[in-house]
């Protein structure tokens, strides 16, 4: 569990990929479902669409506009660890 109390102004973004995925691109997901007997789960699929969305942390402390991918990969509740 990682918790950040505050992010200093001017903190640069950390790129997670060399380029953004586009519809039709293959994607992969790795998760750790707490309710499963398996340590890790791996799923794959294709990107259906990409768009902008505002994301707000659970405490409304942090708000960020980000690109969100809509995928066709099967993800079960808890696969992301939540």
């Amino acid at each position: 569990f990682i918790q950040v109390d505050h992010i200093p102004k001017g903190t640069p973004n950390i790129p997670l990929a060399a380029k953004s995925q586009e519809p039709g691109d293959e994607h992969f997901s790795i998760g750790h479902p707490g309710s499963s007997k398996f340590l890790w789960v791996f799923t794959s699929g294709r990107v259906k669409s990409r768009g902008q969305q505002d994301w707000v942390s659970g405490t409304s402390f942090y708000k960020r506009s980000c690109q969100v991918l809509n995928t066709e990969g099967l993800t079960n509740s808890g696969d992301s660890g939540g």
Side-chain angles (χ1 to χ4, degrees):
F1 178 72
I2 297 173
Q3 181 175 338
V4 177
D5 292 323
H6 107 264
I7 299 171
K9 287 187 178 191
T11 301
N13 294 331
I14 300 172
L16 301 177
K19 69 177 193 77
S20 295
Q21 288 197 304
E22 299 291 337
D25 287 349
E26 190 172 25
H27 78 91
F28 306 100
S29 300
I30 299 172
H32 176 65
S35 62
S36 173
K37 65 180 179 178
F38 301 107
L39 183 59
W40 297 102
V41 294
F42 173 86
T43 58
S44 64
R46 298 228 172 253
V47 175
K48 289 169 59 175
S49 62
R50 183 182 86 188
Q52 286 292 123
Q53 181 174 333
D54 287 338
W55 177 83
V56 180
S57 66
T59 60
S60 299
F61 165 75
Y62 185 70
K63 181 177 179 180
R64 181 77 182 189
S65 179
C66 56
Q67 289 189 22
V68 177
L69 298 176
N70 181 13
T71 66
E72 64 181 26
L74 299 174
T75 304
N76 298 310
S77 177
D79 281 358
S80 65

